[in-house]
Amino acid sequence: MSIKPPMKYPLSAWHSIPESSKFPGYTMSGPDLYHEKSRMSLAEHIEEAKSFLQITYCSGNYHDEDQPEEKQISAFVEEYQSAFQALKGGQNATSCEELITMKLGAAFQSDKLQGCFSTSMTWVLCTELLYQSECKENAWSTLVEYKKSELETEIALDEEYNLSVSNRNRAAGKLNHQERRYLKPYFVELLVSETPDNGWKAMKTAASKLAPLIFERHMSSGIDADPDTTVANVETWLTTWLKNDEQCKELYFAHRHKKPLPKI
């Protein structure tokens, strides 16, 4: 009875590309991505997925971005193990997903990332439990479902970053606004004392004329003024006050028209 030789792995392990367009006869070879991925075991895929989730959690956790990365990793690992034990103990996967959203998802500002991350993590938990329970065929099919949500999670991470930057800028704007409120009484005085003989023609005119005076006061105030502040920045502040602050707006309109001639 003849013994068949072991079947050769059908995918090529190497990929070759031209080394340079100037030397078309020379090539360099490297591992082929498709071959590399196809040779990964189920256990390796699970570990890769868990690594992706850990990186996503640490990258998207802008609420605690000043917290040491080691603590963020520990928080993720702890919650993963807790959810895995709950799933292993008979808790249904949907309930586990809800807990993940509440505990880990709270670190994200984006609702989309909260949902995608929780779904992805639940699929990985299911995959790992099925693998450990020797239901490998089911584990592979569950891993496929995880892969579908992985890309959505990656896209949502970009959205989380943009949202975080937007929220940070908005918060900084509010803080800066409060820090320069001390200038408003001086601006109110100038709106009256520096009114042109024919009155303020436009808000832009008032802001432009008074900005250098406010800028000088700001920079010499002794308060920790931002050294990068410019007259143009101050003009923007004044325009905002004229449009949105009731006191400034009222004074501006009161002095918009030509000053009355003094009585003889």
Side-chain angles (χ1 to χ4, degrees):
M1 181 178 178
S2 60
I3 299 176
K4 291 184 178 180
M7 184 179 292
K8 181 183 176 183
Y9 197 74
L11 296 180
S12 174
W14 302 99
H15 172 62
S16 298
I17 58 173
E19 187 172 319
S20 169
S21 58
K22 296 180 179 179
F23 306 100
Y26 296 88
T27 61
M28 20 182 216
S29 297
D32 185 77
L33 174 64
Y34 296 94
H35 174 271
E36 292 288 307
K37 284 289 184 180
S38 71
R39 295 303 296 262
M40 286 176 63
S41 67
L42 180 54
E44 289 172 329
H45 276 289
I46 292 172
E47 289 305 311
E48 183 180 66
K50 288 164 66 175
S51 177
F52 169 80
L53 291 172
Q54 177 182 294
I55 292 171
T56 298
Y57 176 73
C58 294
S59 299
N61 188 3
Y62 292 106
H63 288 308
D64 288 330
E65 61 181 352
D66 294 330
Q67 187 182 56
E69 187 177 2
E70 296 79 14
K71 287 191 176 182
Q72 294 192 38
I73 292 173
S74 296
F76 169 80
V77 172
E78 183 179 339
E79 291 302 331
Y80 184 93
Q81 292 301 326
S82 176
F84 183 79
Q85 292 303 320
L87 190 65
K88 189 175 182 179
Q91 185 169 323
N92 64 70
T94 301
S95 297
C96 286
E97 181 181 3
E98 292 170 353
L99 285 173
I100 293 167
T101 301
M102 182 176 65
K103 292 183 177 180
L104 293 180
F108 307 132
Q109 299 172 65
S110 164
D111 292 337
K112 185 175 182 181
L113 183 58
Q114 288 179 7
C116 291
F117 180 84
S118 302
T119 300
S120 294
M121 184 166 166
T122 304
W123 281 123
V124 175
L125 287 163
C126 292
T127 303
E128 185 167 15
L129 181 57
L130 289 167
Y131 171 69
Q132 290 190 9
S133 303
E134 298 186 356
C135 302
K136 290 190 177 181
E137 186 174 344
N138 302 91
W140 277 113
S141 63
T142 308
L143 182 67
V144 170
E145 295 302 322
Y146 157 74
K147 284 296 183 182
K148 292 178 183 178
S149 66
E150 184 182 78
L151 179 58
E152 292 182 25
T153 303
E154 200 165 5
I155 294 172
L157 187 58
D158 289 335
E159 181 183 287
E160 173 75 6
Y161 172 74
N162 293 332
L163 181 61
S164 174
V165 171
S166 176
N167 289 340
R168 189 186 301 126
N169 289 342
R170 190 180 296 112
K174 288 181 179 178
L175 180 61
N176 289 337
H177 176 69
Q178 292 301 321
E179 288 177 345
R180 58 180 177 256
R181 291 295 292 180
Y182 79 95
L183 291 169
K184 200 185 94 170
Y186 182 50
F187 177 50
V188 167
E189 291 177 14
L190 293 177
L191 271 175
V192 178
S193 64
E194 297 295 322
T195 304
D197 290 340
N198 58 349
W200 296 115
K201 291 183 178 181
M203 288 184 177
K204 184 177 181 181
T205 303
S208 177
K209 179 178 179 180
L210 300 181
L213 300 176
I214 298 290
F215 172 78
E216 185 178 349
R217 171 67 68 91
H218 181 53
M219 300 308 289
S220 62
S221 64
I223 295 174
D224 291 332
D226 185 349
D228 294 328
T229 300
T230 64
V231 174
N233 296 142
V234 175
E235 186 175 334
T236 301
W237 304 348
L238 302 187
T239 302
T240 300
W241 279 342
L242 288 169
K243 290 180 178 179
N244 301 322
D245 184 272
E246 289 302 321
Q247 183 184 12
C248 294
K249 189 190 301 184
E250 184 178 342
L251 274 176
Y252 164 76
F253 280 109
H255 294 78
R256 187 178 182 187
H257 302 292
K258 187 175 181 179
K259 287 184 178 179
L261 293 174
K263 292 182 180 180
I264 300 175

